[in-house]
Amino acid sequence: MKFIKIFLLCLVMAVVFSSCAVMKSMGGLAAAVGDITGNDNLAAVGDSVAAVAEASAPISPEQEYYIGRSVTASLLGSYKMFHSPELTNYVNMICQVLALNSQRPQLYKGYYVAVLDTDQINAFASSGGHILVTRGLLECATSEDALAAVLAHEIAHIQLQHGIKAIKSDRWTNAALTTATSSLTVLSDGEMKDVIDAFDESVNGVITTMVNTGYSQSQEYDADETALEIMAAAGYNPHAMKEMLNELKVRQPKSSGGFASTHPSADKRLKNVEKKLKKYAAISVPETRVARYNHMMAIY
């Protein structure tokens, strides 16, 4: 990201200086304005500055929501919703308890969880509070606290803005492409091709990264750590994260796609979580919570 920003600044400066050189060679500003009207160099400066300004602009909560909604809509084109009002209400109740006890309890339109009707073990968190969890992943949870660990992890992705960071990266990529393309008169054909080729894969890869290849290993570890904090604050047992990961450790090798391809191995996550759990005491689980979970699993 730092490289892209430095590259953009250098490239914009090159365009500006090139335009200045043209103006000087034409015999001054008046003559240059008369003859450069319509010249691509001046248009390039405007296009480049506009692109960099857009990339630098913060993404508002409203934009976060609508971006996330678009991503979610795209996902729902590949998965069917699981229609169970009781189960949907149950997972959303857990989500709201977790969110209210987190560092970012309010979003533009709040948090919402939907269940996907597939045996695949997977979950998605898109910006703006959209969370999708598969039946396959819910079936890995052996307690409400383990289920809370799953939802807290997805909430953490949203609060740490992992999806938004990918989108911001894409906006800088688009700015780089706009600047490079607008500077066609400054760079040779060969140089232009190298610039475009360097960023082309990133432009097409943002949604793929979020959905198919997943977040980075460090982001997954950060989400686990933040999830532990959220669970403890909400009164859930943080040590249930180990319970969930141990179950995934057994099931992941037998499952294709999903967590198996988009997350670090359960073993790696367990080692990282065990280090973080040292500062958390185990929390006793109320009998009412156990009964609530057992009831839900019985009717589900």
Side-chain angles (χ1 to χ4, degrees), residues 23-288:
M23 292 166 72
K24 183 176 180 181
S25 68
M26 299 282 299
L29 180 60
V33 170
D35 289 317
I36 286 183
T37 302
N39 185 283
D40 288 341
N41 277 331
L42 289 182
V45 175
D47 290 344
S48 300
V49 170
V52 173
E54 181 184 356
S56 302
I59 295 176
S60 70
E62 291 87 349
Q63 288 173 319
E64 279 191 57
Y65 170 78
Y66 286 109
I67 290 167
R69 193 173 76 167
S70 295
V71 172
T72 304
S74 177
L75 286 169
L76 291 176
S78 302
Y79 295 91
K80 292 181 180 179
M81 294 275 284
F82 184 66
H83 295 291
S84 170
E86 285 187 277
L87 181 62
T88 300
N89 289 339
Y90 179 58
V91 293
N92 275 282
M93 178 273 294
I94 298 171
C95 178
Q96 297 311 315
V97 170
L98 292 166
L100 287 171
N101 289 278
S102 70
Q103 293 297 314
R104 197 180 175 192
Q106 293 182 321
L107 297 177
Y108 174 59
K109 289 199 174 183
Y111 297 84
Y112 183 77
V113 186
V115 180
L116 302 178
D117 190 9
T118 173
D119 292 330
Q120 187 183 79
I121 299 172
N122 213 344
F124 306 97
S126 62
S127 63
H130 307 81
I131 298 172
L132 300 175
V133 184
T134 65
R135 282 191 304 97
L137 183 57
L138 293 183
E139 289 167 4
C140 293
T142 55
S143 69
E144 184 174 307
D145 290 63
L147 180 52
V150 171
L151 296 176
H153 178 91
E154 300 308 319
I155 290 170
H157 275 310
I158 293 168
Q159 296 192 352
L160 294 171
Q161 295 191 309
H162 288 157
I164 288 299
K165 286 175 182 175
I167 292 163
K168 284 182 177 177
S169 175
D170 185 46
R171 288 170 71 176
W172 276 104
T173 298
N174 288 335
L177 284 169
T178 299
T179 303
T181 304
S182 299
S183 306
L184 189 60
T185 56
V186 177
L187 300 178
S188 69
D189 289 343
E191 291 170 330
M192 174 54 58
K193 184 179 184 302
D194 289 342
V195 169
I196 292 176
D197 286 348
F199 293 104
D200 186 58
E201 187 174 344
S202 295
V203 170
N204 297 322
V206 174
I207 298 300
T208 299
T209 298
M210 294 175 65
V211 175
N212 297 331
T213 59
Y215 297 113
S216 69
Q217 181 169 282
S218 63
Q219 286 176 323
E220 292 296 346
Y221 290 162
D222 287 345
D224 279 340
E225 184 174 357
T226 301
L228 295 177
E229 295 173 5
I230 294 172
M231 292 176 71
Y236 281 105
N237 182 13
H239 291 261
M241 177 77 77
K242 284 179 59 178
E243 175 188 330
M244 189 68 196
L245 289 172
N246 276 317
E247 190 66 24
L248 287 175
K249 181 179 176 180
V250 173
R251 298 198 187 205
Q252 266 187 343
K254 303 172 185 177
S255 175
S256 61
F259 266 33
S261 60
T262 62
H263 286 64
S265 69
D267 258 336
K268 288 182 179 179
R269 290 177 66 191
L270 267 169
K271 290 177 183 176
N272 184 65
V273 164
E274 284 172 348
K275 294 177 185 175
K276 308 300 179 184
L277 278 172
K278 292 177 181 178
K279 62 180 180 180
Y280 296 102
I283 296 174
S284 297
V285 179
E287 287 299 322
T288 53

